[in-house]
Amino acid sequence: MADTSSKPFSDPYPSLLTHQREVSLLSSTGALLGWDQETMLPPGGHAFRTDQLAQLARLTHEMATDPRVGDWLAACEADAGLSDVGLDSGVNLRAWRHAYDRATKLPAELVVAFSEATSQAKTHWAEARRENDYDRFAPWLDRIVSLCREQAACYGWDRAGGGEAWDALAEGYEPGLTAAAVERVFTPLRGRLVALIDRLMGVSQAPDDAFNKLELPVDQQQSFVRSVSQAVGFDFNRGRLDVSAHPFCSGTHYADVRLTTRFHRDNFNDALGSTLHETGHGLYEQGLPPEHVGTPRGQAAGLSIHESQSRLWENQVGRSRAFWTWCHPRLVQHFGGPAAGYSADQMYAAANRVSPSLIRVEADEATYNLHIMVRFELERALMSGELEAADLPAAWNEKYRQTLGVEVVGGDAQGCLQDIHWSMGAIGYFPTYTMGSLYSAQFFEAARAALGGADALDQQFAAGRFGPLLGWLGEQIHTKGQTHYAADLCEAVTGNPLSADPLLRHLEAKLLPLYGL
């Protein structure tokens, strides 16, 4: 690493820039080891990997909390020629200040303990999920929740204003996001979604979903979803696609983006939807400005915006009739006989069948956000102490009965063990999925208007031309980095504040005709 201590303090921004890029470089190494842990690491290597990740977490924390960073920040912030957020330097300084103030509140011992616990917990989660045995994971979740409560206490939150511990963690994923703010969005959205779902469930005949039960060879599924990811714009010269228990997107920078997906013999749409979802994340990462690599100006504008990109490619594109017009002949050619008995309309209908279910990542668009609301309510209860880890399965099952009207059958692998997030310590993350769904619908409406209207975009998708949409997203969102926070970016791109209306318009326009309404 470069020795920034010898650089003259009279020139603080270059010193800070060099130092922070080195912090980013070290952090990206940890991300790569984390990806390997979920995809390629031999089972016997997990204990040593825990030590590796813990050491990297300690070194990264030491660099991020170096007292010189505080001095450099203060000097730069006093210079209006650097700190104006209309400048690249101002964007970086704002984000670095936020990160520094949070990092310096955490003791190094807590950072290392958290890294060790989450590294081990992910392994135990995968084993518990595979064995359908929550008791194997419960002590690890208890440990993680305890550490998350310690983190929240270190960060602090607005106690006088009615805040809660959950807020302190959510701040790390989306600046300014609080449980109260999420609740203000979720409460009316829940009512509108439930009303739509009830209306759809009230019809006598639902769309045909036979295609969702078709068994297809996994190796052929793998090659096909890779071809779809490439067709919509993912550059495999700068990325790869692998298999993991829970699909995710990781990597080190714009030229090294790692996607994973998963497969079932009898649920091809799960693999396709998961791959398109992670491809959306990957397209965002590959579209970030290379000249700003290692700085906030070259990083995504928060988790909600990241989720908007994944949800947009999964749903607005991948569940559209135009997409299936393009996809159908390629799918039939690729799989041959088993797929040849299904029309494009049948595949499209199967991709959009609404049915309250147990598994979030397999959920349809209409019910998906109800899954997120369940998780949000449970992790708030875990953080407040109202719910303990040992009692999670019963609480989870009851929430699913109340919210989606379904019974958890088949054990906790179908229930509270289905998501990897809490084993990673990612409490405060889940609401960004729903916020992303809202942003995706609003961005897509703006894209349609800019690219010639709904008919023009549909014609492009049906012809396999996804480049115009990707180019628009790149210009409006990807290349902007962290120039704007999520809410401000939404207004800058669409001209309006975030609203649930575009999402409901999207769902109603597609689903009501499919259900004969």
Side-chain angles (χ1 to χ4, degrees):
M1 294 181 183
D3 180 11
T4 55
S5 61
S6 62
K7 294 182 180 296
F9 187 75
S10 59
D11 203 8
Y13 187 75
S15 298
L16 178 61
L17 182 63
T18 298
H19 182 88
Q20 296 291 66
R21 277 185 160 150
E22 289 175 348
V23 174
S24 177
L25 190 64
L26 193 60
S27 179
S28 71
T29 304
L32 191 59
L33 287 179
W35 167 85
D36 176 72
Q37 184 179 35
E38 298 299 319
T39 56
M40 302 290 182
L41 184 67
H46 284 290
F48 193 69
R49 179 56 48 86
T50 295
D51 294 339
Q52 291 174 311
L53 289 169
Q55 183 183 59
L56 276 172
R58 176 179 58 79
L59 293 172
T60 303
H61 183 71
E62 288 175 358
M63 289 187 68
T65 58
D66 188 324
R68 292 176 301 167
V69 173
D71 294 336
W72 287 326
L73 281 170
C76 292
E77 288 165 341
D79 184 344
L82 290 171
S83 60
D84 185 336
V85 292
L87 304 171
D88 293 340
S89 58
V91 172
N92 290 336
L93 290 170
R94 178 180 61 184
W96 286 334
R97 167 58 72 186
H98 183 265
Y100 179 75
D101 287 348
R102 284 178 64 81
T104 52
K105 292 176 180 177
L106 296 181
E109 312 82 65
L110 178 56
V111 172
V112 171
F114 186 77
S115 175
E116 291 175 340
T118 54
S119 178
Q120 295 177 73
K122 284 187 289 186
T123 301
H124 287 277
W125 165 79
E127 293 172 352
R129 185 174 180 272
R130 186 169 55 249
E131 301 297 326
N132 199 10
D133 182 5
Y134 177 75
D135 289 342
R136 298 180 64 166
F137 178 59
W140 292 98
L141 181 58
D142 185 66
R143 171 65 172 154
I144 287 170
V145 170
S146 176
L147 290 169
C148 284
R149 289 171 181 165
E150 287 187 51
Q151 287 181 330
C154 292
Y155 290 135
W157 62 89
D158 184 11
R159 296 173 187 267
E164 54 190 86
W166 186 91
D167 300 348
L169 301 182
E171 178 72 18
Y173 301 110
E174 196 70 73
L177 192 66
T178 66
V182 171
E183 199 166 38
R184 285 194 295 272
V185 173
F186 279 14
T187 299
L189 178 61
R190 183 200 302 264
R192 296 178 71 179
L193 289 174
V194 168
L196 174 61
I197 294 164
D198 287 347
R199 190 177 175 192
L200 298 175
M201 295 299 97
V203 304
S204 59
Q205 186 171 350
D208 180 16
D209 71 338
F211 180 69
N212 290 334
K213 302 178 179 66
L214 179 66
E215 291 194 5
L216 296 169
V218 167
D219 60 336
Q220 292 184 37
Q221 290 187 46
Q222 289 178 315
S223 59
F224 187 79
V225 299
R226 178 187 170 95
S227 72
V228 172
S229 178
Q230 187 169 27
V232 301
F234 188 74
D235 181 359
F236 280 95
N237 289 319
R238 298 187 290 135
R240 55 183 292 133
L241 176 66
D242 295 278
V243 179
S244 66
H246 194 103
F248 67 94
C249 171
S250 183
T252 62
H253 68 310
Y254 73 95
D256 179 9
V257 181
R258 312 293 178 96
L259 312 180
T260 73
T261 191
R262 67 183 186 187
F263 299 92
H264 310 280
R265 281 190 60 85
D266 60 349
N267 192 352
F268 170 72
N269 266 326
D270 177 49
L272 180 61
S274 296
T275 302
L276 279 170
H277 181 98
E278 302 308 332
T279 295
H281 284 304
L283 293 172
Y284 193 177
E285 290 294 314
Q286 290 186 340
L288 293 168
E291 66 272 21
H292 295 294
V293 67
T295 73
R297 181 61 183 81
Q299 294 165 350
L303 267 294
S304 293
I305 300 301
H306 228 310
E307 289 303 329
S308 78
Q309 302 306 284
S310 59
R311 299 292 288 165
L312 187 151
W313 286 99
E314 176 189 2
N315 294 323
Q316 274 78 11
V317 177
R319 282 186 160 116
S320 70
R321 186 182 293 276
F323 172 84
W324 282 101
T325 299
W326 167 81
C327 186
H328 172 261
R330 286 155 182 80
L331 194 149
V332 170
Q333 181 180 19
H334 186 87
F335 289 101
Y342 296 88
S343 67
D345 283 346
Q346 286 175 304
M347 293 180 182
Y348 166 67
N352 289 286
R353 168 98 172 219
V354 175
S355 179
S357 60
L358 294 174
I359 308 300
R360 175 184 64 86
V361 296
E362 297 174 9
D364 58 84
E365 275 188 275
T367 63
Y368 179 86
N369 292 299
L370 299 180
H371 291 261
I372 301 303
M373 293 171 190
V374 166
R375 288 152 177 78
F376 167 60
E377 292 166 2
L378 290 171
E379 65 183 22
R380 283 180 81 185
L382 286 168
M383 285 300 296
S384 70
E386 178 185 343
L387 176 67
E388 296 300 331
D391 302 319
L392 178 63
W396 180 286
N397 296 352
E398 180 58 26
K399 286 286 186 186
Y400 264 75
R401 278 191 289 270
Q402 293 174 353
T403 307
L404 286 115
V406 295
E407 295 285 340
V408 177
V409 294
D412 294 320
Q414 300 292 306
C416 63
L417 285 174
Q418 65 182 268
D419 295 305
I420 195 174
H421 301 64
W422 291 337
S423 73
M424 299 164 55
I427 292 177
Y429 184 118
F430 274 117
T432 64
Y433 284 112
T434 291
M435 303 299 286
S437 294
L438 298 175
Y439 282 123
S440 71
Q442 196 155 330
F443 288 146
F444 194 69
E445 281 195 352
R448 286 195 307 192
L451 296 172
D455 290 344
L457 209 52
D458 284 346
Q459 290 169 10
Q460 291 169 9
F461 293 169
R465 294 181 56 230
F466 303 100
L469 174 61
L470 179 58
W472 185 89
L473 292 169
E475 180 182 349
Q476 298 294 324
I477 298 170
H478 304 171
T479 59
K480 303 297 184 183
Q482 292 186 17
T483 299
H484 303 287
Y485 286 139
D488 295 333
L489 179 62
C490 180
E491 291 212 43
V493 172
T494 72
N496 293 294
L498 180 64
S499 167
D501 292 340
L503 177 61
L504 269 295
R505 282 195 291 267
H506 162 72
L507 292 174
E508 290 169 354
K510 176 166 58 175
L511 298 177
L512 293 180
L514 273 173
Y515 277 76
L517 296 170

